[in-house]
Protein backbone atom coordinates (compact mmCIF):
# COMPACT_ATOMS: atom_id res chain seq x y z
CA UNK A 1 0.00 0.00 0.00
CA UNK A 2 1.17 3.55 -0.66
CA UNK A 3 2.55 5.66 2.19
CA UNK A 4 -0.14 8.13 1.18
CA UNK A 5 -2.77 8.25 -1.53
CA UNK A 6 -4.90 11.31 -2.11
CA UNK A 7 -7.69 11.20 -4.68
CA UNK A 8 -10.01 13.83 -6.06
CA UNK A 9 -9.03 16.49 -3.53
CA UNK A 10 -11.04 19.70 -3.89
CA UNK A 11 -10.48 22.80 -1.76
CA UNK A 12 -12.05 26.24 -2.18
CA UNK A 13 -11.26 29.44 -0.34
CA UNK A 14 -14.31 31.56 -1.05
CA UNK A 15 -14.31 31.96 -4.82
CA UNK A 16 -10.71 30.69 -5.16
CA UNK A 17 -10.42 27.08 -6.23
CA UNK A 18 -7.11 26.08 -4.59
CA UNK A 19 -7.32 22.37 -5.48
CA UNK A 20 -9.45 21.10 -8.34
CA UNK A 21 -9.71 17.35 -7.90
CA UNK A 22 -5.99 16.58 -7.53
CA UNK A 23 -4.46 13.19 -6.83
CA UNK A 24 -1.11 12.13 -5.45
CA UNK A 25 0.42 8.80 -4.47
CA UNK A 26 3.68 8.38 -2.56
CA UNK A 27 5.04 4.87 -2.17
CA UNK A 28 6.96 3.66 0.91
CA UNK A 29 10.59 4.80 0.77
CA UNK A 30 9.91 7.09 -2.19
CA UNK A 31 11.42 10.56 -2.50
CA UNK A 32 8.64 12.49 -4.18
CA UNK A 33 8.95 16.12 -5.22
CA UNK A 34 6.00 18.47 -5.50
CA UNK A 35 6.70 21.45 -7.72
CA UNK A 36 4.71 24.29 -9.28
CA UNK A 37 4.47 28.07 -9.33
CA UNK A 38 3.37 30.14 -6.37
CA UNK A 39 -0.36 29.78 -5.98
CA UNK A 40 -0.50 26.40 -7.73
CA UNK A 41 -1.92 24.73 -4.60
CA UNK A 42 1.11 22.99 -3.08
CA UNK A 43 0.72 24.41 0.44
CA UNK A 44 -2.98 23.70 0.40
CA UNK A 45 -2.39 20.06 -0.53
CA UNK A 46 0.22 19.77 2.25
CA UNK A 47 -2.33 21.19 4.70
CA UNK A 48 -4.87 18.61 3.56
CA UNK A 49 -2.36 15.73 3.79
CA UNK A 50 -1.36 16.75 7.33
CA UNK A 51 -4.92 17.18 8.60
CA UNK A 52 -4.62 20.95 9.00
CA UNK A 53 -7.21 21.82 6.37
CA UNK A 54 -10.42 19.95 5.71
CA UNK A 55 -10.95 19.44 1.97
CA UNK A 56 -14.33 20.10 0.35
CA UNK A 57 -14.03 16.80 -1.47
CA UNK A 58 -11.81 13.77 -2.02
CA UNK A 59 -10.16 11.16 0.18
CA UNK A 60 -6.78 10.61 1.85
CA UNK A 61 -5.42 7.21 2.92
CA UNK A 62 -2.21 6.23 4.70
CA UNK A 63 -0.88 2.71 4.14
CA UNK A 64 -4.22 1.71 2.65
CA UNK A 65 -6.23 2.87 5.69
CA UNK A 66 -8.50 5.93 5.67
CA UNK A 67 -7.00 9.08 7.21
CA UNK A 68 -7.80 9.81 10.88
CA UNK A 69 -10.98 11.65 11.76
CA UNK A 70 -11.07 15.38 11.34
CA UNK A 71 -9.47 17.18 14.30
CA UNK A 72 -7.71 14.12 15.76
CA UNK A 73 -4.32 15.85 15.63
CA UNK A 74 -2.44 13.19 17.57
CA UNK A 75 -3.59 10.48 15.17
CA UNK A 76 -2.54 12.55 12.14
CA UNK A 77 0.90 13.12 13.67
CA UNK A 78 1.41 9.37 13.85
CA UNK A 79 0.67 9.11 10.12
CA UNK A 80 2.52 12.05 8.67
CA UNK A 81 5.38 14.19 9.92
CA UNK A 82 5.83 17.71 8.65
CA UNK A 83 8.71 20.15 8.62
CA UNK A 84 7.44 23.60 7.68
CA UNK A 85 9.31 26.70 6.64
CA UNK A 86 8.19 28.13 9.94
CA UNK A 87 9.78 26.53 13.03
CA UNK A 88 7.48 24.33 15.09
CA UNK A 89 9.72 24.32 18.15
CA UNK A 90 9.59 26.64 21.16
CA UNK A 91 12.90 28.56 21.20
CA UNK A 92 13.01 29.17 24.97
CA UNK A 93 12.62 25.48 25.80
CA UNK A 94 15.26 22.77 25.63
CA UNK A 95 15.51 20.23 22.84
CA UNK A 96 14.26 17.52 25.21
CA UNK A 97 11.25 19.58 26.27
CA UNK A 98 10.34 20.32 22.67
CA UNK A 99 10.49 16.67 21.69
CA UNK A 100 8.37 15.71 24.68
CA UNK A 101 5.77 18.43 24.11
CA UNK A 102 5.19 17.15 20.62
CA UNK A 103 4.72 13.59 21.70
CA UNK A 104 2.57 14.20 24.76
CA UNK A 105 0.72 17.47 24.15
CA UNK A 106 -1.18 16.93 27.43
CA UNK A 107 2.15 17.40 29.24
CA UNK A 108 2.00 15.04 32.23
CA UNK A 109 4.71 15.40 34.87
CA UNK A 110 8.01 13.67 34.15
CA UNK A 111 11.45 13.75 35.73
CA UNK A 112 14.03 15.77 33.87
CA UNK A 113 16.46 12.86 33.97
CA UNK A 114 13.93 10.58 32.24
CA UNK A 115 12.99 13.25 29.75
CA UNK A 116 16.60 13.88 28.82
CA UNK A 117 17.37 10.17 28.46
CA UNK A 118 14.38 9.66 26.14
CA UNK A 119 15.33 12.66 24.07
CA UNK A 120 18.87 11.35 23.79
CA UNK A 121 17.58 8.01 22.46
CA UNK A 122 15.34 9.72 19.94
CA UNK A 123 18.11 12.02 18.71
CA UNK A 124 20.46 9.05 18.38
CA UNK A 125 17.84 7.15 16.39
CA UNK A 126 17.79 9.95 13.80
CA UNK A 127 21.50 10.62 14.01
CA UNK A 128 21.13 14.16 15.38
CA UNK A 129 24.21 15.25 17.30
CA UNK A 130 22.64 17.75 19.69
CA UNK A 131 22.61 17.95 23.48
CA UNK A 132 19.01 17.46 24.71
CA UNK A 133 19.68 20.04 27.45
CA UNK A 134 20.42 22.82 24.95
CA UNK A 135 17.79 25.46 24.38
CA UNK A 136 16.51 25.63 20.79
CA UNK A 137 17.41 29.32 20.59
CA UNK A 138 21.08 28.52 21.24
CA UNK A 139 21.33 26.06 18.34
CA UNK A 140 22.58 26.87 14.84
CA UNK A 141 20.13 26.91 11.92
CA UNK A 142 21.19 23.49 10.73
CA UNK A 143 21.02 21.78 14.14
CA UNK A 144 17.61 23.34 14.66
CA UNK A 145 16.42 21.94 11.36
CA UNK A 146 17.59 18.46 12.35
CA UNK A 147 15.75 18.76 15.66
CA UNK A 148 12.64 19.78 13.71
CA UNK A 149 12.93 16.57 11.69
CA UNK A 150 13.40 14.41 14.80
CA UNK A 151 10.47 16.23 16.42
CA UNK A 152 8.26 15.66 13.39
CA UNK A 153 9.12 11.95 13.16
CA UNK A 154 8.96 11.31 16.92
CA UNK A 155 5.33 10.16 16.74
CA UNK A 156 6.23 7.25 14.47
CA UNK A 157 5.12 8.52 11.04
CA UNK A 158 6.58 6.75 7.99
CA UNK A 159 5.99 9.75 5.74
CA UNK A 160 7.55 13.16 6.12
CA UNK A 161 6.51 16.30 4.28
CA UNK A 162 9.25 18.88 3.90
CA UNK A 163 8.12 22.33 2.78
CA UNK A 164 11.15 24.23 1.43
CA UNK A 165 13.46 22.67 4.04
CA UNK A 166 16.64 24.10 2.53
CA UNK A 167 15.51 27.74 2.62
CA UNK A 168 17.65 28.75 5.60
CA UNK A 169 20.61 26.40 5.07
CA UNK A 170 23.95 27.07 3.39
CA UNK A 171 25.43 24.69 0.80
CA UNK A 172 27.11 22.49 3.44
CA UNK A 173 23.92 22.38 5.50
CA UNK A 174 21.91 21.32 2.46
CA UNK A 175 24.35 18.48 1.76
CA UNK A 176 24.12 17.27 5.36
CA UNK A 177 20.32 17.56 5.32
CA UNK A 178 20.16 15.50 2.13
CA UNK A 179 22.50 12.91 3.67
CA UNK A 180 20.12 12.61 6.61
CA UNK A 181 17.08 12.30 4.35
CA UNK A 182 18.77 9.55 2.32
CA UNK A 183 19.51 7.67 5.56
CA UNK A 184 15.86 7.97 6.63
CA UNK A 185 14.81 6.73 3.22
CA UNK A 186 17.03 3.69 3.60
CA UNK A 187 14.93 2.93 6.71
CA UNK A 188 11.80 2.99 4.54
CA UNK A 189 10.60 6.50 5.38
CA UNK A 190 8.94 8.18 2.39
CA UNK A 191 9.12 11.86 1.75
CA UNK A 192 7.25 14.55 -0.07
CA UNK A 193 9.60 17.40 -0.86
CA UNK A 194 8.31 20.84 -1.81
CA UNK A 195 10.92 22.95 -3.49
CA UNK A 196 11.38 25.84 -5.89
CA UNK A 197 14.85 24.54 -6.76
CA UNK A 198 14.88 22.01 -9.57
CA UNK A 199 18.52 21.22 -8.88
CA UNK A 200 17.57 19.98 -5.40
CA UNK A 201 14.77 17.89 -6.87
CA UNK A 202 17.21 16.24 -9.29
CA UNK A 203 19.66 15.56 -6.50
CA UNK A 204 17.26 14.14 -3.94
CA UNK A 205 14.10 12.80 -5.55
CA UNK A 206 13.14 9.90 -7.80
CA UNK A 207 9.60 11.02 -8.69
CA UNK A 208 8.14 14.45 -9.36
CA UNK A 209 4.58 15.73 -9.43
CA UNK A 210 3.84 19.05 -11.10
CA UNK A 211 0.88 21.26 -10.19
CA UNK A 212 -0.46 24.16 -12.20
CA UNK A 213 -3.49 26.29 -11.39
CA UNK A 214 -4.91 23.95 -8.75
CA UNK A 215 -4.58 20.94 -11.03
CA UNK A 216 -2.33 17.94 -11.20
CA UNK A 217 -0.35 18.19 -14.45
CA UNK A 218 1.90 15.16 -14.35
CA UNK A 219 3.76 12.65 -12.23
CA UNK A 220 6.96 11.31 -13.75
CA UNK A 221 10.33 9.77 -12.85
CA UNK A 222 12.90 12.49 -12.22
CA UNK A 223 15.43 10.55 -14.32
CA UNK A 224 13.45 11.23 -17.50
CA UNK A 225 13.22 15.01 -17.14
CA UNK A 226 15.19 17.57 -19.13
CA UNK A 227 17.98 19.17 -17.11
CA UNK A 228 17.41 22.80 -18.02
CA UNK A 229 15.48 25.16 -15.75
P1 LIG B 1 4.24 29.50 -0.51
O1 LIG B 1 5.38 30.46 -0.54
O2 LIG B 1 4.53 28.21 0.19
O3 LIG B 1 3.61 29.28 -1.85
P2 LIG B 1 2.28 31.47 0.16
O4 LIG B 1 3.14 32.66 0.31
O5 LIG B 1 1.46 31.28 -1.09
O6 LIG B 1 3.12 30.15 0.44
O7 LIG B 1 1.26 31.40 1.38
C1 LIG B 1 1.71 31.46 2.71
C2 LIG B 1 0.52 31.21 3.64
O8 LIG B 1 -0.53 32.13 3.38
C3 LIG B 1 -0.09 29.82 3.45
O9 LIG B 1 -0.40 29.28 4.72
C4 LIG B 1 -1.36 30.05 2.66
O10 LIG B 1 -2.37 29.11 3.03
C5 LIG B 1 -1.74 31.46 3.07
N1 LIG B 1 -2.36 32.17 1.95
C6 LIG B 1 -1.95 32.18 0.66
N2 LIG B 1 -2.75 32.92 -0.09
C7 LIG B 1 -3.71 33.41 0.73
C8 LIG B 1 -4.83 34.26 0.55
N3 LIG B 1 -5.17 34.74 -0.64
N4 LIG B 1 -5.57 34.59 1.63
C9 LIG B 1 -5.23 34.10 2.83
N5 LIG B 1 -4.20 33.28 3.07
C10 LIG B 1 -3.45 32.95 2.04
P1 LIG C 1 1.32 27.25 -3.41
O1 LIG C 1 1.69 26.62 -2.12
O2 LIG C 1 1.53 26.35 -4.59
O3 LIG C 1 1.96 28.59 -3.61
P2 LIG C 1 -1.23 27.69 -2.16
O4 LIG C 1 -1.78 26.36 -1.80
O5 LIG C 1 -0.60 28.52 -1.09
O6 LIG C 1 -0.26 27.50 -3.41
O7 LIG C 1 -2.37 28.58 -2.80
C1 LIG C 1 -3.32 28.07 -3.77
C2 LIG C 1 -4.38 29.13 -3.99
O8 LIG C 1 -5.22 29.22 -2.84
C3 LIG C 1 -3.82 30.52 -4.19
O9 LIG C 1 -4.68 31.19 -5.09
C4 LIG C 1 -3.89 31.14 -2.82
O10 LIG C 1 -3.97 32.53 -2.88
C5 LIG C 1 -5.15 30.50 -2.25
N1 LIG C 1 -5.11 30.33 -0.78
C6 LIG C 1 -4.24 29.54 -0.09
N2 LIG C 1 -4.49 29.58 1.23
C7 LIG C 1 -5.55 30.41 1.38
C8 LIG C 1 -6.30 30.85 2.51
N3 LIG C 1 -6.01 30.46 3.75
N4 LIG C 1 -7.31 31.70 2.29
C9 LIG C 1 -7.63 32.11 1.04
N5 LIG C 1 -6.98 31.72 -0.07
C10 LIG C 1 -5.94 30.88 0.10
Amino acid sequence: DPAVRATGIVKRYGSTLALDGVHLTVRPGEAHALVGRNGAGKSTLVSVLTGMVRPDGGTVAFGGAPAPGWGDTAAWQRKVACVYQKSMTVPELTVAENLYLNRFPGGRAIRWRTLRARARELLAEYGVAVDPADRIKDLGVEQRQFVEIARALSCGARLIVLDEPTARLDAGGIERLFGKLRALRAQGVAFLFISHHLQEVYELCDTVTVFRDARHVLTAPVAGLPRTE
Side-chain angles (χ1 to χ4, degrees), residues 151-172:
R151 185 205 64 85
L153 287 169
S154 67
C155 298
R158 305 292 290 160
L159 169 70
I160 182 167
V161 177
L162 299 137
D163 192 354
E164 300 274 347
T166 59
R168 286 167 301 170
L169 299 177
D170 60 20

Side-chain angles (χ1 to χ4, degrees), residues 13 38-39 42-44 85 163 196:
Y13 292 109
N38 265 338
K42 305 181 297 296
S43 302
T44 303
Q85 283 168 269
D163 192 354
H196 285 86

Side-chain angles (χ1 to χ4, degrees), residues 81-103:
C82 196
V83 173
Y84 299 92
Q85 283 168 269
K86 206 186 294 174
S87 171
M88 298 298 284
T89 50
V90 184
E92 299 298 329
L93 297 181
T94 63
V95 170
E97 286 162 336
N98 270 282
L99 294 174
Y100 188 73
L101 271 178
N102 185 56
R103 218 162 168 184

Side-chain angles (χ1 to χ4, degrees), residues 77-176:
Q77 282 185 355
R78 288 193 293 270
K79 298 294 181 191
V80 54
C82 196
V83 173
Y84 299 92
Q85 283 168 269
K86 206 186 294 174
S87 171
M88 298 298 284
T89 50
V90 184
E92 299 298 329
L93 297 181
T94 63
V95 170
E97 286 162 336
N98 270 282
L99 294 174
Y100 188 73
L101 271 178
N102 185 56
R103 218 162 168 184
F104 304 102
R108 62 188 165 81
I110 185 173
R111 281 167 176 277
W112 167 246
R113 226 188 319 161
T114 311
L115 182 61
R116 193 176 49 188
R118 288 198 189 155
R120 193 165 279 139
E121 278 171 28
L122 190 67
L123 293 166
E125 189 181 336
Y126 298 115
V128 182
V130 168
D131 185 340
D134 282 347
R135 282 178 208 286
I136 296 287
K137 68 180 169 68
D138 296 328
L139 298 180
V141 187
E142 189 180 323
Q143 287 177 313
R144 206 184 283 204
Q145 190 76 311
F146 291 164
V147 172
E148 297 273 349
I149 292 173
R151 185 205 64 85
L153 287 169
S154 67
C155 298
R158 305 292 290 160
L159 169 70
I160 182 167
V161 177
L162 299 137
D163 192 354
E164 300 274 347
T166 59
R168 286 167 301 170
L169 299 177
D170 60 20
I174 292 172
E175 268 317 301
R176 286 183 287 275

Side-chain angles (χ1 to χ4, degrees), residues 33-37 40 42 193-195 198 201 208-212:
L34 184 57
V35 305
R37 295 216 176 101
K42 305 181 297 296
F193 180 72
I194 292 121
S195 178
L198 277 186
V201 170
V208 63
T209 286
V210 181
F211 271 24
R212 187 167 57 215

